[in-house]
């Protein structure tokens, strides 16, 4: 495996690792809050699950970017592409937007969701509001994903 | 379109009509009651004592909870269960029936069971406590010690046994290991009473932890009963008590036949309570009752018909809302757009002077969720499941609307998924318009164009709202300016034709000269110039729609990942197909769930943040008619 391919694979690994770590922290925060609320009111499991699951999308965006890198490199097929060192750097850099925005936004989305959980505990009918607030945070992960996809798409191997 | 006409209703009636009038209104279920402003009119409040009913309802609720815990229904039956109908004659029969003995019987069973259960728990705890000492072959009476000798039981870390042996050598302490476990051993100790303090001090130093036997246990043990005897006695008692619980269980099972009746009674009583409580909203004089509320204009004849039998004793006045009054809001939309009211309600009902955003948002929401999920296969699954749920579970009200919305979103996905996505990760190339994986740029342009259309449309709705509220200058020049500026600017950047540039400048001048309400022409000009800065907000709003591409791609790619994994799994000899099937089903269910959650939430956000902010103001209060409502039964 030469340097170009190594860098590209490193980029793919970064995307899934950063996004996934962020999501893990975010879901962890929201999950703790939800368990606290459910200890008083177990019937809220269904609606709280939505809020807890929401910071999970960044991990999926990372995973999906990694998969796109794999497709690009042809790692799923028998003949892998041989990117030059520059192309390897390009792919690595293209993976950074989704990775970094995913990491940071998932953590903060987790915080918003956790406070949303407390809000739903007091106002069960207002589920839409915390969901929308959480979606506001997620926007930047979505934009990061978008740029990663566009960058990957524009790199010609 | 949008909002139903709601009018004020005022009723004057003879005081003797109080219960009849409220019953009739509750049965009709069309009037939203409002508290009468008694002080202005010099009316007095009616007394309504609901504490007796509240207490009874509380007992019933508890009783029903107890019975429902015993229910052994399967999930499917629970979904299919429909509320039984309850006619007004049945309701009266229920209310006049003698239900107290049944209620008391169930309460007694519950209370007795709880008491026995807590006793059993106490016994079990004690037995756990005694278990390690079971090998102690001493009569219970010995634990009390004698005049000269103190008897103690306790635990010691095994590692410190040597220290105890040394202590026993130095002082008058005799000990025996009753039972040795991995880390600790249970000990029986004898020492002299007169040296008690000193020895206990020393014992503490070597981490001896005394076990204090519960007094009642020692007291209850006969002179010659050993620890094993006490444990055995406890075990027998637990057995006997468990049998009692079983007997009570059978008795409770026999009471299950009353469950439905009690549930219906609960509903009937609940409505009696509501009726009684609603009297508090009324105003009264010695002989006359005064009632205020709101009614949909369409329901006025219904109200008149309902009160017709008492025409001589009451008078109904109907009038449109006055300027200072805020009538409650009823959304009224064509049947196809009705499910989208769910989205409007989640944000809030339209406030004063705002129009109902349901119809304008419906087509956008429909398309956006379709693009975000863009999976025809998932659409088919969701549409079928929601249809089945509606058919068999027969939901009502908000739940029914939600499932109808899900059905529509399923349809949207079948169409858009075929055009821009695939069926379970397999694109149908002949029908596909855009393949977002090969050609994300075209999809991005589609998303941004849709965003531009919605943002522009939102501004148009703002113009309409302004005109409706007689804000002509602001409406025509500012909103109209934006309406002209935005497309002209976009066209100018795309074509570079001067004509578009001129149109854009014309639109901008409308904003610059009329956006600021100030009188001073200079302040007005610069204020207007500043509000032109809003163009960055419009730009940001349109770019925000790029999420449609990202989310749509996410679904497609994950579906492809699932299918790729399936293919890999198929390579496993013999059981490959089984793994492949499991991965296919599990993977697609997972993807369906998260892409619908994401698609729904993000499409909703686009409505709330990008679209509603252009024209919509929430703050209306919902129209809640005073009516018969049942948790378990349905009133007919």
């Amino acid at each position: 495996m030469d340097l170009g391919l190594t860098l590209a694979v490193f980029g793919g690994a970064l995307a899934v690792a950063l996004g996934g770590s962020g999501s893990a922290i975010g879901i962890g925060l929201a999950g703790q809050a939800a368990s606290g609320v459910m200890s008083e009111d177990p019937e809220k499991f269904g609606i709280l699950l939505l809020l807890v699951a929401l910071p999970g999308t960044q991990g999926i965006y990372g995973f999906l970017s990694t998969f796109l890198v794999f497709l690009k490199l042809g790692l799923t097929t028998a003949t892998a592409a041989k990117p030059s060192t520059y192309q390897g750097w390009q792919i690595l850099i293209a993976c950074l937007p989704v990775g970094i925005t995913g990491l940071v936004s998932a953590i903060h989305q987790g915080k918003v969701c956790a406070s949303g959980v407390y809000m739903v505990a007091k106002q069960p009918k207002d589920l839409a509001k915390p969901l929308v607030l959480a979606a506001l945070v997620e926007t930047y992960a979505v934009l990061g994903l978008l740029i990663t996809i566009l960058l990957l798409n524009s790199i010609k191997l | 379109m949008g909002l139903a006409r709601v009018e004020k209703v005022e009723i004057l009636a003879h005081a003797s009509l109080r219960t009849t009038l409220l019953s009739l209104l509750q049965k009709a279920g069309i009037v939203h009651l409002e508290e009468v402003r008694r002080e202005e009119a010099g009316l007095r409040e009616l007394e309504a004592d609901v504490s007796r009913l509240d207490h009874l309802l509380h007992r019933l609720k508890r009783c029903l909870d107890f019975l429902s815990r015993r229910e052994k229904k399967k999930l499917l039956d629970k979904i299919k269960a429909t509320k039984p109908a309850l006619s007004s004659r049945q309701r009266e029969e229920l209310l006049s029936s003698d239900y107290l003995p049944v209620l008391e019987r169930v309460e007694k069973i519950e209370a007795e069971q709880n008491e026995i259960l807590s006793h059993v728990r106490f016994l079990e705890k004690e037995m756990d406590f005694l278990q390690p000492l079971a090998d102690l072959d001493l009569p219970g009476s010995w634990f009390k010690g004698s005049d000269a000798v103190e008897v103690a039981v306790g635990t010691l870390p095994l590692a410190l046994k040597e220290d105890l042996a040394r202590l026993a050598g130095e002082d008058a302490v005799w000990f025996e290991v009753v039972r040795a476990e991995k880390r600790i051993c249970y000990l029986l100790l004898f020492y002299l009473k007169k040296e008690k303090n000193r020895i206990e001090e020393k014992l503490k130093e070597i981490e001896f932890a005394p076990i204090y036997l519960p007094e009642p246990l020692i007291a209850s043990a006969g002179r010659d009963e050993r620890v094993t005897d006490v444990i055995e006695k406890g075990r027998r008692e637990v057995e006997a008590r468990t049998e009692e619980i079983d007997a009570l269980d059978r008795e409770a099972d026999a009471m299950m036949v009353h469950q439905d009746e009690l549930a219906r009674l609960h509903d009937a009583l609940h409505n009696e309570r509501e009726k009684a409580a609603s009297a508090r909203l009324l105003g009264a004089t010695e002989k006359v009752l005064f009632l205020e509320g709101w009614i949909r204009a369409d329901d006025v004849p219904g109200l008149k018909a309902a009160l017709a039998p008492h025409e001589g004793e009451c008078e109904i006045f109907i009038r449109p809302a006055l300027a200072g009054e805020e009538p409650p809001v009823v959304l009224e939309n064509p049947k196809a757009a009705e499910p989208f009211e769910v989205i409007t309600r989640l944000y809030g009902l339209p406030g004063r002077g705002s129009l109902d955003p349901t119809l304008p948002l419906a087509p956008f929401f429909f398309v956006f969720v379709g693009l975000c999920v863009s999976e025809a296969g998932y659409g088919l699954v969701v549409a079928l499941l929601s249809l089945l749920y509606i058919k068999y579970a027969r939901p009502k009200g908000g739940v029914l609307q939600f499932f109808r919305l899900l059905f529509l979103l399923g349809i949207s996905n079948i169409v858009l998924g075929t055009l821009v996505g695939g069926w379970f990760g397999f694109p149908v190339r002949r029908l596909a318009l855009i393949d977002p994986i090969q050609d994300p740029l075209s999809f991005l342009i589609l998303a941004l164009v849709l965003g531009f259309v919605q943002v522009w449309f939102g501004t148009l709705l703002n113009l309409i709202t302004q005109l409706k509220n007689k804000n002509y200058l602001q409406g025509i020049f500012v909103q109209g300016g934006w309406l002209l500026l935005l497309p002209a600017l976009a066209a100018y950047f795309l074509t570079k034709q001067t004509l578009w540039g001129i149109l854009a400048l014309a639109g901008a001048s409308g904003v610059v000269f009329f956006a600021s309400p100030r009188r001073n022409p200079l302040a007005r000009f610069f204020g207007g110039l500043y509000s032109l800065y809003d163009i960055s907000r419009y730009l940001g709003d349109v770019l925000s729609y790029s999420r449609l591409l990202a989310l749509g791609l996410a679904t497609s790619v994950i579906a492809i990942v699932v299918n790729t994994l399936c293919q890999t799994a198929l390579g496993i000899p013999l059981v490959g197909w089984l793994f492949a099937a499991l991965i296919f089903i599990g993977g697609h269910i997972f993807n369906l769930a998260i892409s619908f959650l994401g698609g729904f939430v993000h499409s909703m956000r686009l409505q709330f943040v990008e679209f509603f902010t252009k024209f919509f103001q929430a703050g209306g209060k919902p129209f809640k008619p005073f009516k018969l409502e049942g948790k378990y039964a349905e009133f007919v």
Side-chain angles (χ1 to χ4, degrees):
Chain A
M1 203 186 255
D2 51 0
L3 185 58
L5 191 57
T6 312
L7 287 170
V9 170
F10 180 52
L14 264 187
V16 74
L18 291 176
S21 313
S23 281
I25 299 174
I27 293 186
L29 290 169
Q32 283 173 359
S35 311
V37 169
M38 278 186 287
S39 67
E40 294 255 317
D41 190 356
E43 284 175 11
K44 288 223 168 73
F45 179 73
I47 50 172
L48 292 185
L49 189 66
L50 288 183
L51 277 170
V52 175
L54 216 50
T57 37
Q58 282 86 342
I60 293 163
Y61 297 157
F63 172 73
L64 138 75
S65 312
T66 307
F67 195 79
L68 286 175
V69 172
F70 276 29
L71 282 182
K72 183 131 218 123
L73 297 173
L75 291 183
T76 49
T77 58
T79 50
K82 285 203 171 57
S84 69
T85 309
Y86 281 112
Q87 285 167 332
W89 276 113
Q90 284 169 1
I91 291 179
L92 169 59
I93 292 166
C95 287
L96 292 182
V98 73
I100 297 171
T101 55
L103 174 66
V104 178
S105 75
I107 296 172
H108 285 278
Q109 197 181 18
K111 289 180 185 167
V112 173
C113 285
S115 35
V117 164
Y118 294 131
M119 188 185 149
V120 172
K122 293 198 169 168
Q123 317 275 344
K125 285 198 174 136
D126 280 343
L127 178 63
K129 287 162 193 161
L131 280 180
V132 172
L133 292 182
L136 293 185
V137 184
E138 193 175 306
T139 301
Y140 305 99
V142 175
L143 294 181
L145 169 67
L146 189 64
I147 293 304
T148 294
I149 290 173
L150 293 178
L151 286 177
L152 281 176
N153 205 52
S154 62
I155 297 168
K156 299 275 174 286
L157 289 189
Chain B
M1 164 187 119
L3 305 174
R5 226 174 84 215
V6 175
E7 299 197 309
K8 183 99 190 184
V9 52
E10 291 160 327
I11 300 176
L12 278 173
H14 190 261
S16 64
L17 217 59
R18 170 174 166 176
T19 318
T20 325
L21 179 67
L22 287 173
S23 298
L24 283 172
L25 287 179
Q26 191 179 31
K27 207 173 151 199
I30 48 181
V31 177
H32 172 116
L33 288 180
E34 213 173 43
E35 188 155 9
V36 170
R37 280 155 298 175
R38 282 179 287 268
E39 273 146 40
E40 283 173 34
L43 298 169
R44 68 179 171 84
E45 197 176 349
L46 281 172
E47 272 172 36
D49 184 25
V50 290
S51 57
R52 189 190 67 88
L53 282 169
D54 274 339
H55 179 64
L56 199 55
L57 276 170
H58 178 76
R59 282 172 63 191
L60 262 174
K61 184 88 200 35
R62 208 188 139 106
C63 180
L64 283 169
D65 282 347
F66 174 71
L67 288 179
S68 72
R69 276 199 298 275
R70 323 189 52 80
E71 230 171 356
K72 293 177 197 93
K73 266 192 194 163
K74 288 195 186 116
L75 185 67
L76 199 66
D77 289 337
K78 267 191 189 165
I79 292 174
K80 277 171 74 176
T82 48
K83 290 181 179 179
L86 192 59
S87 71
S88 54
R89 203 168 53 80
Q90 282 171 311
R91 198 154 53 93
E92 268 158 38
E93 275 171 18
L94 265 176
L95 288 173
S96 56
S97 67
D98 190 15
Y99 45 80
L100 280 177
V102 176
L103 184 61
E104 275 159 11
R105 187 71 212 118
V106 177
E107 277 173 344
K108 200 160 158 246
I109 293 173
E110 193 193 357
E112 274 175 25
Q113 241 181 10
N114 283 343
E115 198 186 309
I116 296 176
L117 267 176
S118 70
H119 186 66
V120 165
R121 250 176 246 137
F122 169 76
L123 283 174
E124 278 170 348
K125 222 158 97 191
E126 275 199 343
M127 279 152 57
D128 282 347
F129 184 71
L130 283 178
Q131 204 59 51
L133 303 175
D135 300 336
L136 199 59
D137 198 15
L138 281 180
S141 53
W142 274 51
F143 289 108
K144 286 173 204 150
S146 70
D147 293 341
V149 179
E150 185 78 22
V151 182
V153 265
T155 61
L156 186 78
L158 262 187
L160 296 173
K161 224 174 96 184
E162 293 300 309
D163 292 339
L164 183 65
R166 210 174 51 240
L167 186 72
E170 290 166 7
D171 282 295
V173 175
W174 180 88
F175 75 94
E176 190 180 296
V177 176
V178 182
R179 180 193 175 93
E181 281 176 5
K182 244 190 216 158
R183 294 229 175 80
I184 55 167
C185 53
Y186 289 84
L187 298 169
L188 175 69
L189 293 171
F190 292 89
Y191 45 85
L192 289 175
K193 243 189 187 140
K194 59 180 180 189
E195 288 178 25
K196 185 177 172 197
N197 288 342
R198 200 171 54 81
I199 287 178
E200 280 180 1
E201 195 64 35
K202 281 192 175 173
L203 283 173
K204 217 179 186 177
E205 271 169 33
I206 59 168
E207 289 179 40
F208 172 80
I211 296 174
Y212 300 103
L213 294 176
E215 283 297 326
L217 204 69
I218 301 178
S220 76
R223 260 196 82 76
D224 297 323
E225 275 181 329
R226 281 144 217 275
V227 176
T228 37
D229 296 330
V230 176
I231 293 177
E232 178 61 26
K233 212 163 81 180
R235 207 180 51 76
R236 273 199 306 269
E237 189 163 352
V238 167
E239 247 169 51
R241 290 301 179 125
T242 315
E243 262 168 42
E244 278 176 45
I245 292 181
D246 288 344
L248 283 171
D249 263 343
R250 281 191 294 277
E251 215 175 318
D253 282 338
M255 300 306 280
M256 289 298 280
V257 291
H258 298 291
Q259 192 191 13
D260 283 347
E261 192 193 323
L262 288 176
R264 275 180 298 193
L265 178 68
H266 173 274
D267 279 0
L269 276 173
H270 175 74
N271 282 300
E272 287 303 304
R273 185 221 171 264
E274 290 303 303
K275 185 163 69 182
S278 68
R280 287 187 188 142
L281 299 173
L282 273 49
T285 65
E286 203 64 15
K287 294 267 171 60
V288 177
L289 289 176
F290 181 58
L291 176 149
E292 260 185 280
W294 297 93
I295 187 166
R296 292 170 46 158
D298 296 347
D299 285 334
V300 172
L303 176 69
K304 289 196 167 145
L307 295 183
H310 303 277
E311 219 171 354
E313 298 140 293
C314 69
E315 191 64 49
I316 308 170
F317 303 95
I318 308 277
R319 62 168 173 78
L322 298 176
E325 289 175 332
E326 255 186 73
V329 177
V330 190
L331 301 179
E332 204 174 49
N333 284 293
K335 209 153 176 54
E338 239 173 48
F340 293 92
E341 285 175 8
V342 173
I343 309 295
T344 308
R345 273 181 227 283
L346 280 174
Y347 188 82
L349 290 168
R352 257 185 98 71
S354 196
L355 46 82
D356 177 14
T358 307
L359 205 55
L361 77 79
F364 289 105
F365 193 79
F366 182 81
V367 171
F368 290 170
V369 174
L371 289 177
C372 282
V373 181
S374 66
E375 242 304 326
Y378 299 173
L380 186 67
V381 171
V382 167
L384 281 181
L385 283 181
S386 30
L387 254 194
L388 282 177
Y389 188 81
I390 292 173
K391 187 160 181 335
Y392 287 106
R394 297 181 187 287
K396 290 261 151 39
V399 185
L400 174 65
Q401 283 208 343
F402 181 73
F403 277 94
R404 282 177 54 201
L405 179 64
L406 272 187
F407 172 73
L408 286 179
L409 298 180
I411 299 288
S412 145
N413 268 297
I414 295 177
V415 178
L416 287 158
T418 312
L419 294 180
V420 298
W423 287 78
F424 296 109
F426 300 106
V428 186
R429 300 236 179 268
R430 263 188 306 156
L431 294 174
L433 283 182
I434 304 172
D435 182 352
I437 297 176
Q438 301 299 330
D439 185 14
L441 267 180
S442 315
F443 199 128
L444 180 65
I445 291 167
L446 171 72
L448 295 183
V449 167
L450 278 172
F452 185 84
V453 171
Q454 194 179 26
V455 167
W456 190 85
F457 185 50
T459 314
L460 179 68
L461 290 174
N462 191 347
L463 172 67
I464 295 172
T465 316
Q466 301 266 20
L467 292 185
K468 255 193 185 162
N469 295 334
K470 307 208 164 59
N471 248 336
Y472 297 113
L473 274 186
Q474 276 272 326
I476 292 172
F477 287 104
V478 180
Q479 302 309 326
W482 281 115
L483 286 175
L484 185 62
L485 170 60
L486 296 173
L489 203 60
Y492 178 72
F493 277 121
L494 291 176
T495 62
K496 304 276 178 215
Q497 278 174 359
T498 339
L499 170 70
W500 294 116
I502 293 168
L503 282 177
L505 281 178
S509 62
V511 178
V512 169
F513 292 113
F514 291 94
S516 167
R518 268 173 275 190
R519 278 286 169 89
N520 181 339
L522 261 185
R524 194 181 170 97
F525 176 75
F526 283 108
L529 211 56
Y530 179 71
S531 67
L532 207 56
Y533 185 66
D534 272 356
I535 195 130
S536 66
R537 206 162 52 94
Y538 280 100
L539 184 69
D541 284 349
V542 171
L543 287 181
S544 172
Y545 287 78
S546 60
R547 75 187 68 230
L548 294 177
L549 161 64
L551 292 166
L553 261 182
T555 319
S556 315
V557 174
I558 292 171
I560 291 171
V561 173
V562 170
N563 292 346
T564 314
L565 287 178
C566 276
Q567 236 162 12
T568 319
L570 269 181
I572 304 170
L574 286 176
V575 288
W577 59 271
L578 184 65
F579 282 122
L582 287 180
I583 293 172
F584 187 82
I585 295 170
H588 281 301
I589 288 178
F590 168 76
N591 193 18
L592 187 156
I594 89 148
S595 58
F596 259 86
L597 173 64
F600 200 92
V601 168
H602 279 282
S603 305
M604 200 160 75
R605 173 230 143 97
L606 286 176
Q607 311 305 320
F608 292 174
V609 181
E610 272 77 23
F611 189 47
F612 280 10
T613 46
K614 300 283 168 299
F615 68 98
F616 180 61
Q617 247 152 19
K621 57 178 180 195
F623 181 82
K624 277 195 192 134
F626 173 51
K627 63 176 180 192
L628 292 167
E629 269 174 308
K631 189 172 167 196
Y632 305 99
E634 204 170 321
F635 295 95
V636 289

